[in-house]
Amino acid sequence: MSNSTHRVQGLNNDEVAADWPAITDREIAWLRGRFAQLDGECQLLWHSPRPLSAAAIVESRGGRVFVKRHHGSVRTTEGLAEEHRFLQHLAGHGVPVVEVLRDRDGATAVEHEGWTYELHSVGRGHDLYRDAPSWTLLTDAAQAREAGRMLATLHRASASYRAPQRSTHLLVARDDLIRAADPVAALQDGLGDRPGLAAYLARQDWQADLQRSVLPWHAGLAVRLQAEPRLWAHNDWHVSNLLWRPHGDTSVVATVLDVGLASPTSALFDLATAIERNAIAWLALEHGEEAVRVDIALALLAGYREIVPLSAERVHLLADLLPVVQLDFALSEVEYFEGVTHSPANADVAYHTFLLGHADWFSTAAGQGLLKALHAAA
């Protein structure tokens, strides 16, 4: 599936050939027949460097539109509708999210020649982190505090949203295995419906791997999470998914982007994900304690608590979630790379680095320092 002319961000913060070809003028011409927002002559202004789908900004007589295309095996129109309904709920409850655009028949997603398309408004604000990979450190503590406030605002809005679990595991962040009393048994029971993941794990001593790297961190979490309510959450709260506007000497969030990983998890899962995404330089762990920004983690937490108070007990639970928060999503990436893009090398990175390596890092001095600081903030 690789396309050598379109380059995207690789898993090692490098530039690699895209798995998915860039969106073309031919595709935009077809979409023009479906979406009134693509009015008149259209010009492709920018192609996203993100690797898991193809996206572009298109300018037409009616203004600029964000076009995103997924392979049909990854997202169907029904699967995207799950995300779009969540976005519409958030918009109706005061969260500044992008607008999902409808075609002439009222659909928010369309399928064509094996692809699934969605169109959004480009959102207001400055894309300060447009080229930043999802494992890039956030270095501005004031922005981290603001990001925490906006995440809490989103959670207050989503508390009234009711919808079932996502219809796919692919590239969706869940907490099903974290909530399970026996994650190994729960994963084993679900492999029949996940052939790509099953094929990859058949080549690994995965039960022993999880017992060694993950399950020691999981001990006791399932019982503690019983009191943590399910909440539809963003699940990918990195600053590259936020647009910003100036406000005095700092910046505030103007628009929230990309709920592609959203699902019913919990507020603490989402906040733990935000800390993992923004405060740890996963691609530069060789720098030791310099690879973690404890101040960024604490600023995210402090900003969150300005909007939504957290008890000491819940802050302790937040800290204890961090070493395992990647569990379900890392396996989802393994499934994607093995079963969809047929890239065993990327599947290995997702399994050995993102899943096992992230859990192992919390046993290092730097990882322990972060966890201790969060516990102390309770």
Side-chain angles (χ1 to χ4, degrees):
M1 297 182 187
S2 180
N3 183 288
S4 60
T5 62
H6 180 40
R7 313 293 286 180
V8 296
Q9 295 164 349
L11 298 183
N12 292 312
N13 200 17
D14 50 356
E15 186 180 274
V16 299
D19 287 319
W20 310 117
I23 293 171
T24 65
D25 290 324
R26 176 177 173 271
E27 291 172 280
I28 298 303
W30 181 84
L31 289 168
R32 281 178 58 197
R34 297 292 302 263
F35 289 85
Q37 296 85 354
L38 294 174
D39 182 34
E41 184 176 351
C42 294
Q43 181 182 3
L44 282 161
L45 299 180
W46 170 81
H47 291 281
S48 172
R50 305 289 177 187
L52 304 182
S53 60
I57 292 177
V58 180
E59 186 164 45
S60 72
R61 189 161 53 198
R64 294 185 176 185
V65 172
F66 181 79
V67 179
K68 192 170 185 178
R69 186 196 66 208
H70 310 263
H71 192 264
S73 65
V74 179
R75 288 291 184 271
T76 62
T77 54
E78 293 81 5
L80 285 180
E82 296 166 355
E83 301 171 21
H84 297 165
R85 287 190 290 269
F86 182 47
L87 275 175
Q88 289 157 4
H89 174 89
L90 294 176
H93 288 74
V95 180
V97 293
V98 292
E99 178 187 1
V100 182
L101 305 181
R102 295 182 178 272
D103 75 353
R104 300 181 191 277
D105 298 325
T108 61
V110 295
E111 296 178 356
H112 181 62
E113 296 183 346
W115 304 103
T116 309
Y117 299 85
E118 57 180 321
L119 274 63
H120 298 170
S121 65
V122 294
R124 297 179 179 179
H126 301 291
D127 197 349
L128 301 179
Y129 297 87
R130 181 160 76 175
D131 297 322
S134 290
W135 306 114
T136 301
L137 275 171
L138 172 57
T139 58
D140 187 318
Q143 288 184 3
R145 196 176 188 105
E146 165 64 8
R149 284 191 289 263
M150 183 55 70
L151 182 59
T153 300
L154 185 149
H155 289 169
R156 291 182 67 176
S158 66
S160 58
Y161 185 66
R162 300 289 181 268
Q165 181 58 273
R166 295 293 296 273
S167 58
T168 182
H169 284 273
L170 284 171
L171 304 183
V172 170
R174 299 190 184 195
D175 67 350
D176 301 346
L177 296 179
I178 299 172
R179 288 181 179 266
D182 185 344
V184 170
L187 178 56
Q188 181 68 62
D189 288 345
L191 289 180
D193 297 324
R194 305 175 70 178
L197 181 58
Y200 181 87
L201 293 182
R203 305 195 297 270
Q204 312 296 326
D205 189 7
W206 64 271
Q207 295 97 331
D209 289 339
L210 293 184
Q211 290 282 356
R212 181 187 67 254
S213 293
V214 177
L215 293 194
W217 299 108
H218 181 266
L221 281 181
V223 173
R224 295 165 68 191
L225 283 169
Q226 289 178 4
E228 192 62 27
R230 287 280 191 185
L231 178 89
W232 264 75
H234 187 280
N235 296 337
D236 191 18
W237 199 257
H238 184 258
V239 285
S240 61
N241 284 327
L242 303 172
L243 301 181
W244 302 80
R245 61 176 174 83
H247 182 74
D249 296 332
T250 185
S251 299
V252 296
V253 175
T255 307
V256 175
L257 306 174
D258 196 357
V259 297
L261 274 59
S263 74
T265 53
S266 71
L268 294 187
F269 177 93
D270 213 8
L271 182 54
T273 299
I275 292 171
E276 193 215 30
R277 293 284 195 271
N278 294 283
I280 306 167
W282 293 109
L283 302 178
L285 295 183
E286 68 275 10
H287 297 302
E289 293 188 6
E290 294 180 9
V292 59
R293 286 287 300 268
V294 173
D295 62 324
I296 296 296
L298 295 178
L300 282 161
L301 174 58
Y304 189 94
R305 295 173 94 174
E306 287 182 30
I307 307 300
V308 175
L310 294 177
S311 66
E313 181 182 14
R314 294 185 76 202
V315 174
H316 289 307
L317 178 54
L318 168 71
D320 291 339
L321 277 172
L322 265 176
V324 297
V325 75
Q326 181 73 355
L327 174 58
D328 285 80
F329 183 66
L331 289 169
S332 172
E333 289 189 305
V334 170
E335 183 176 9
Y336 168 81
F337 289 126
E338 175 74 18
V340 177
T341 65
H342 307 295
S343 173
N346 283 343
D348 282 343
V349 172
Y351 181 78
H352 292 287
T353 303
F354 291 174
L355 174 57
L356 304 178
H358 282 204
D360 289 340
W361 178 82
F362 284 95
S363 294
T364 68
Q368 286 290 296
L370 174 59
L371 295 181
K372 288 176 182 176
L374 287 169
H375 282 297

